Amino acid sequence: MKYGLTLKKEKNIIDSDPDDCGDVYTLTAIKTETRLFICHHEGDRSTESAISLFRDVERRRAIHSQIPVFTSDNWDPFEEGLINVYGYLETPPYSGTGRKPLPELIPYPNLKYAQVCKQKEKGKVVEVLQRVVFGDPEEVMKSLGVDPGGKINTAYIERLNLTIRNSLARFVRRGMNCSKDIRIHSHAIDFFQAWYNFVKPHQSLRIEINEGKKKWAQRTPAMAEGLTDHVWSLGQLLTFIVPIQ
């Protein structure tokens, strides 16, 4: 999650300001195996924003593929958003006395979700806890490629959030480059997403080839995902014509 703003900070808003003026939070999703930047959502720190993000993830998932294993920090709306997208309503059995129970949201049996909780003191991390929220703990660890008792890693999404802040001036703290319009703010992240996936090689994705003087072949997340076979230039990205669906 990254923080930005349009026109001014939330605390400085007055009644005459536009509705989309104020603090804006960007929620992001990444596929850790290939570093593919899947999607993002601009909104507030609410369950509705988390639901919108996970609905976008689900919309991009192949029909016959399994529900992905989700990991995140311990922000509560992530848990609530997941169960709203990957859950169903079920009414508990009525005991015959008192009020009839209301329907409850139940997660799908194949939903797997784990959290990494970082406890801080004076701005420094002093303890890292992890818990499996949905799914069998052993199955979740196995799906993540982690041995029982091992550590769940959220470093890739944290690195993506850092790259966003370092690459887009509108996310720089205490700067004059804040967004003036939420729609343009979101489109700027769309462009960053395309550049990140197709143009920017990632050192962690390179493969060893040992062809003469060339030892490594650089790869982008789109190459690792099988969406393309080469590193795109910025010119190719800007002139690419999106096929009509």
Side-chain angles (χ1 to χ4, degrees):
M1 180 193 304
K2 295 313 297 175
Y3 161 78
L5 54 94
T6 54
L7 289 178
K8 61 175 66 174
K9 292 184 177 180
E10 196 79 26
K11 64 180 182 180
N12 298 327
I13 290 178
I14 58 177
D15 294 338
S16 59
D17 286 329
D19 293 337
D20 60 354
C21 181
D23 296 348
V24 179
Y25 292 87
T26 297
L27 309 182
T28 55
I30 189 173
K31 186 175 180 180
T32 56
E33 296 88 345
T34 61
R35 320 294 189 267
L36 188 73
F37 185 178
I38 301 173
C39 60
H40 60 91
H41 173 77
E42 282 65 57
D44 53 10
R45 291 175 58 87
S46 67
T47 300
E48 287 70 25
S49 291
I51 291 174
S52 297
L53 176 73
F54 292 126
R55 280 178 177 167
D56 200 0
V57 172
E58 176 62 15
R59 183 175 62 86
R60 298 165 191 269
R61 182 172 68 92
I63 296 176
H64 301 294
S65 64
Q66 294 182 348
I67 296 176
V69 182
F70 293 93
T71 60
S72 74
D73 58 17
N74 59 331
W75 188 50
D76 291 337
F78 280 146
E79 179 180 342
E80 299 168 8
L82 271 174
I83 198 172
N84 272 275
V85 176
Y86 297 100
Y88 60 94
L89 286 173
E90 183 178 276
T91 303
Y94 179 49
S95 62
T97 58
R99 294 182 179 180
K100 291 184 177 181
L102 297 175
E104 298 178 355
L105 269 174
I106 306 297
Y108 292 147
N110 54 346
L111 174 61
K112 299 179 179 66
Y113 172 50
Q115 289 183 342
V116 176
C117 313
K118 296 181 179 180
Q119 297 183 356
K120 296 183 179 181
E121 291 183 4
K122 297 181 179 180
K124 294 183 179 181
V125 177
V126 295
E127 188 178 11
V128 178
L129 305 175
Q130 58 188 32
R131 71 184 186 100
V132 175
V133 182
F134 300 129
D136 180 76
E138 291 187 4
E139 292 183 4
V140 172
M141 291 298 193
K142 184 178 179 181
S143 299
L144 293 172
V146 179
D147 295 330
K151 295 182 179 180
I152 301 172
N153 190 0
T154 58
Y156 295 126
I157 190 66
E158 292 171 2
R159 175 64 216 191
L160 170 63
N161 290 337
L162 176 62
T163 304
I164 292 175
R165 184 172 296 284
N166 289 340
S167 302
L168 296 177
R170 62 193 68 228
F171 282 96
V172 175
R173 301 181 188 274
R174 299 180 180 180
M176 299 179 63
N177 299 308
C178 65
S179 298
K180 310 303 186 293
D181 181 272
I182 184 62
R183 183 177 60 88
I184 302 301
H185 182 83
S186 184
H187 287 334
I189 304 173
D190 287 337
F191 178 73
F192 169 86
Q193 180 182 3
W195 170 82
Y196 182 91
N197 285 335
F198 287 89
V199 179
K200 184 181 185 300
H202 292 245
Q203 187 172 359
S204 61
L205 296 175
R206 65 181 183 172
I207 55 177
E208 191 172 2
I209 55 175
N210 288 322
E211 294 180 356
K213 294 183 179 180
K214 190 174 182 180
K215 185 178 180 181
W216 300 95
Q218 300 295 330
R219 294 196 304 165
T220 62
M223 293 174 65
E225 189 66 25
L227 301 177
T228 185
D229 59 358
H230 64 282
V231 178
W232 286 25
S233 66
L234 186 59
Q236 182 180 3
L237 178 66
L238 292 173
T239 57
F240 178 75
I241 300 176
V242 180
I244 299 176
Q245 301 292 329

